[in-house]
Amino acid sequence: MTSGQIGAIVILVLALAVLGGGFAAYRVIKAKVRNFTRMAFGSDTISGSFQNMERELEITPKSVSANTKLYLPQILRDFPEFHYDEMKNRAENILTGFLLGIDEKNAARMRESTTSELKNKLEMRIAALDSENAEEHFRDILIHRTEILQYRRIKGRCSIIFQSALQCHHFKIKDGTVTEGSESKLEQSRYNVELIYIQDRDKIENQADSGLAMNCPNCGAPLPKLGAKKCLYCDTPIVEFSIRIWNFSDVDES
């Protein structure tokens, strides 16, 4: 055997050794990746892991800013008659009614106490869809959780903002084709619902809110101060029903 042949054999052996080592390293790396994706995402493959992540995101509720424990004591000090559970349920009804109003193009879906601004917002949303010859649907609505996000008192206007984690099938159709969202995949989202109470008619900046304050049940004259015991014009005694002067003023996706 010549020296050239021996050299060729040596090179071939070294190449095979390198290839064998590379293949072994590849198998080790592949096994580690498989074990990691299996443990982290429940799949042996990266593509399967992404699919599992998408399914997990589809069914995992959004978190909400749970400030109820912080703000509720303040609200109850200001309004001892405030019924939190009742108002929370009403906020959820407003949210559901607003979305179903869009879904059905029916502004009358919101039957709770709302401001004219919120009613107009729903009507404008429906009108915009009509102008586009489009439909926007919210199906299988489920509210996971609702908490108080914020409580503010600004110039005669008290505001409580509820935040809800919600899931539904949300999609938009134009000319018979789904252009946004999915009919089959769930969407997780957060919505804020604002509840307002007009405390002092004389101090509010938004004059549209002034119609929400209490009026005398006898002569109809405005009662400028929360806590007024009688009408300044006809001396009729006033009995306050706070649930009648709390109104929902806005619904907005967070």
Side-chain angles (χ1 to χ4, degrees):
M1 184 178 294
T2 65
S3 60
Q5 291 174 326
I6 293 173
I9 292 172
V10 171
I11 292 172
L12 179 60
V13 170
L14 290 173
L16 290 173
V18 170
L19 289 173
F23 180 70
Y26 164 75
R27 293 190 63 181
V28 170
I29 293 171
K30 183 179 179 181
K32 288 183 177 180
V33 170
R34 182 176 63 249
N35 291 336
F36 172 76
T37 57
R38 182 183 297 167
M39 292 176 62
F41 307 110
S43 175
D44 290 346
T45 65
I46 293 177
S47 61
S49 298
F50 280 120
Q51 291 175 357
N52 286 348
M53 288 174 64
E54 288 179 356
R55 284 194 292 269
E56 190 68 21
L57 289 173
E58 186 181 342
I59 63 174
T60 302
K62 293 279 190 179
S63 62
V64 296
S65 299
N67 295 325
T68 304
K69 291 184 179 179
L70 172 65
Y71 288 122
L72 186 55
Q74 299 178 33
I75 295 170
L76 292 177
R77 281 197 297 270
D78 294 338
F79 303 96
E81 74 287 354
F82 184 86
H83 298 288
Y84 169 69
D85 290 333
E86 178 183 357
M87 291 300 187
K88 182 178 76 171
N89 290 337
R90 292 177 66 200
E92 292 179 346
N93 290 337
I94 283 290
L95 173 56
T96 302
F98 185 83
L99 299 181
L100 290 179
I102 297 171
D103 180 272
E104 300 171 6
K105 293 187 177 181
N106 179 12
R109 259 297 192 170
M110 288 193 305
R111 299 175 182 175
E112 289 276 355
S113 300
T114 58
T115 64
S116 58
E117 286 76 17
L118 182 53
K119 293 174 183 175
N120 290 339
K121 184 174 185 176
L122 177 56
E123 291 170 354
M124 290 176 64
R125 184 84 169 257
I126 294 171
L129 289 170
D130 286 336
S131 68
E132 297 174 11
N133 192 29
E135 302 173 7
E136 186 173 6
H137 295 291
F138 297 85
R139 304 285 171 79
D140 307 313
I141 296 172
L142 174 64
I143 297 177
H144 297 288
R145 182 182 180 187
T146 299
E147 298 283 351
I148 293 176
L149 171 66
Q150 192 176 61
Y151 173 53
R152 295 178 297 180
R153 298 181 60 177
I154 304 174
K155 295 185 178 180
R157 185 179 190 272
C158 299
S159 167
I160 300 172
I161 297 178
F162 290 94
Q163 187 172 84
S164 296
L166 176 146
Q167 79 173 31
C168 65
H169 291 100
H170 176 210
F171 55 96
K172 192 172 182 179
I173 297 176
K174 188 172 182 179
D175 299 325
T177 302
V178 175
T179 57
E180 296 179 22
S182 170
E183 293 180 83
S184 59
K185 291 184 179 180
L186 286 171
E187 178 180 290
Q188 303 291 337
S189 54
R190 272 188 304 262
Y191 282 86
N192 294 340
V193 179
E194 185 178 28
L195 178 66
I196 63 171
Y197 186 109
I198 303 307
Q199 187 175 33
D200 190 334
R201 185 191 299 267
D202 293 336
K203 293 182 180 178
I204 58 175
E205 295 179 339
N206 181 4
Q207 291 303 311
D209 287 341
S210 64
L212 302 176
M214 289 187 67
N215 292 77
C216 173
N218 181 48
C219 70
L223 303 174
K225 301 291 185 182
L226 175 67
K229 302 305 178 184
K230 65 178 182 178
C231 176
L232 298 177
Y233 297 89
C234 68
D235 290 330
T236 298
I238 302 301
V239 179
E240 295 177 354
F241 295 94
S242 65
I243 193 172
R244 299 170 66 180
I245 47 179
W246 282 105
N247 291 268
F248 291 93
S249 63
D250 196 18
V251 173
D252 192 34
E253 187 170 7
S254 173

